Amino acid sequence: MAEENKTNNVTPTTFRMPDGRSLYMYGGFTGEPAWPWLEPNQVHSYSHRRWHPMRREWVVYSAHRQSRTYKPPANDCPFCPGAEDGELPFQDFSIAVFDNRFSSLQKDAPKPEPVPGLDLPVDAATGNCEVIVYSSDHKASMASLPLERRELLVKVWGDRIRSLLEVPAMQVVMPFENRGEEAGVTLHHPHGQIYGFGYLPPIIGAMAQSFREGYDLSKLTKLEQYVVADTPNASLLVPPFTRFPYELWIVPKQFRPSPAALSTAETTDVANLLARAANTYDTFFGRVCPYVMLVYSAPKGFEDVFPFHIQFQPLLRAPNKMKFIAGCELGAGSFLVDILPETAAQNLRNVEVRS
Ligand SMILES: [Zn+2]
């Protein structure tokens, strides 16, 4: 395989799949792809948004997603090299990004018809959904990927965010990873997703407003009792206002609006802390810890105030105890946490992990 890129800019090799989807190969790959099983010019089905008048937020409806791939056996994994009917027909590869076959949001989503008989605002579900596969190795994970690959992953996030924000309608791009069956994962090959939104979703909107009003996230990196692991350019910390019992955030010390703006040294530190977070959880809980990992970066218009950072929201509160989002959280939006952030930070700091 070709050697992975040493600079902070990455340029993919782009392929067009027969059904019109784009595929971006980052780093090395071997083999010439072909997808004889894909129908050319596949007809899209579109999602749409409806306004929830009481919660004051948009809900996306994509009925076509019900038929999506659900937990295929390991020998039928669509992301493994050589898989029959696979998405990635290569012999080997580093990182692959491609349009989701069952995309919830579409770049060319049309303005929907009003809902008959209802005076309910509706709008196009404009956006883009990509899948990002971290490795050709089915058994790899964020905890086991080599440092070089994790550095490449951070750069690929930056490149996809930059590239998707070039689409005029796109407002913000959020890479994320759902890990573990408890987090709803239907395919176990190491992968995440990258959602581009043609509107500002409420949580990112609230964060953007807070940063616009002057909230300084980087100050948390100076509070020793919350820092779990430190590097010269970024800290792994439990925020003092954690909503899940053992949240961990990766926060750069200098303001950077996107992973694309990180220096090479900063990229390395963030890449180191990605594995540190995953290994800390797996060691602390004594099992593969299900979590949701969120990569936040500046929406359009907030590039001067919104800092790139990563949040891990683990779904466990003890080795075999799930943290359920239930009545109080779902019904009132008020999180109940059994452990103080200071204690959580101390517990996680005491975990001995392989580096
Ligand atoms: Zn696989």
Side-chain angles (χ1 to χ4, degrees):
M1 288 211 299
E3 199 176 332
E4 288 177 3
N5 203 319
K6 295 285 189 200
T7 73
N8 219 37
N9 296 318
V10 282
T11 308
T13 304
T14 304
F15 296 93
R16 181 56 70 98
M17 295 160 86
D19 56 1
R21 290 181 293 149
S22 296
L23 164 68
Y24 310 95
M25 300 303 293
Y26 290 91
F29 65 89
T30 51
E32 273 298 316
W35 296 266
W37 53 88
L38 280 179
E39 300 278 331
N41 305 318
Q42 190 176 301
V43 181
H44 280 306
S45 32
Y46 292 105
S47 311
H48 71 278
R49 284 188 277 156
R50 291 184 192 180
W51 182 249
H52 191 307
M54 285 150 57
R55 291 190 55 107
R56 296 164 178 250
E57 64 192 32
W58 291 104
V59 184
V60 176
Y61 295 89
S62 34
H64 59 283
R65 276 175 58 84
Q66 282 298 350
S67 60
R68 69 187 187 273
T69 312
Y70 184 75
K71 253 192 268 178
N75 59 6
D76 193 23
C77 168
F79 304 158
C80 272
E84 229 177 276
D85 298 2
E87 299 272 33
L88 299 169
F90 296 90
Q91 284 147 19
D92 201 1
F93 60 85
S94 302
I95 292 183
V97 178
F98 53 95
D99 290 322
N100 195 319
R101 212 165 155 186
F102 304 98
S103 188
S104 303
L105 306 165
Q106 298 91 26
K107 278 182 189 160
D108 56 347
K111 179 98 178 164
E113 296 294 321
V115 185
L118 281 181
D119 181 21
L120 192 66
V122 293
D123 211 338
T126 313
N128 197 60
C129 301
E130 296 178 339
V131 176
I132 173 167
V133 179
Y134 305 161
S135 167
S136 55
D137 177 3
H138 189 85
K139 292 199 156 51
S141 75
M142 188 68 86
S144 70
L145 287 175
L147 173 63
E148 250 195 15
R149 183 62 55 80
R150 279 178 274 122
E151 289 171 333
L152 180 63
L153 179 62
V154 175
K155 294 173 194 174
V156 172
W157 286 333
D159 194 58
R160 295 313 306 148
I161 291 166
R162 183 197 54 70
S163 171
L164 285 166
L165 285 177
E166 284 174 2
V167 177
M170 214 65 81
Q171 297 303 309
V172 66
V173 178
M174 185 181 77
F176 63 92
E177 178 187 344
N178 301 327
R179 185 197 199 206
E181 288 191 17
E182 294 99 327
V185 172
T186 51
L187 285 171
H188 292 295
H189 199 109
H191 74 287
Q193 307 189 50
I194 300 174
Y195 270 41
F197 296 92
Y199 57 99
L200 207 51
I203 291 175
I204 302 175
M207 290 164 71
Q209 191 58 33
S210 166
F211 292 130
R212 174 61 74 214
E213 289 170 10
Y215 181 69
D216 175 13
L217 178 64
S218 69
K219 72 183 177 193
L220 298 185
T221 65
K222 300 188 183 88
L223 304 175
E224 267 179 33
Q225 76 261 44
Y226 299 102
V227 174
V228 169
D230 210 14
T231 67
N233 299 294
S235 303
L236 180 68
L237 55 87
V238 176
F241 36 77
T242 178
R243 292 153 72 242
F244 288 82
Y246 286 99
E247 258 176 75
L248 279 172
W249 293 13
I250 298 173
V251 181
K253 295 180 182 180
Q254 295 292 321
F255 173 80
R256 304 285 180 240
S258 158
L262 295 173
S263 70
T264 306
E266 289 169 336
T267 300
T268 301
D269 287 353
V270 169
N272 269 320
L273 294 178
L274 281 169
R276 179 67 180 252
N279 278 314
T280 297
Y281 283 143
D282 292 354
T283 307
F284 182 68
F285 290 114
R287 53 162 290 192
V288 171
C289 175
Y291 59 65
V292 173
M293 179 193 69
L294 305 158
V295 179
Y296 287 111
S297 63
K300 265 185 193 155
F302 293 89
E303 297 86 350
D304 55 334
V305 290
F306 194 118
F308 152 66
H309 68 283
I310 299 171
Q311 299 186 9
F312 286 85
Q313 300 184 344
L315 305 184
L316 296 178
R317 58 188 174 86
N320 287 309
K321 288 182 183 151
M322 292 284 295
K323 165 63 188 172
F324 288 108
I325 304 305
C328 196
E329 290 86 354
L330 278 175
S334 198
F335 272 69
L336 305 175
V337 187
D338 295 340
I339 181 161
L340 282 175
E342 295 76 22
T343 312
Q346 193 175 8
N347 291 349
L348 294 177
R349 195 162 43 234
N350 290 339
V351 173
E352 283 188 31
V353 294
R354 60 190 168 81
S355 57

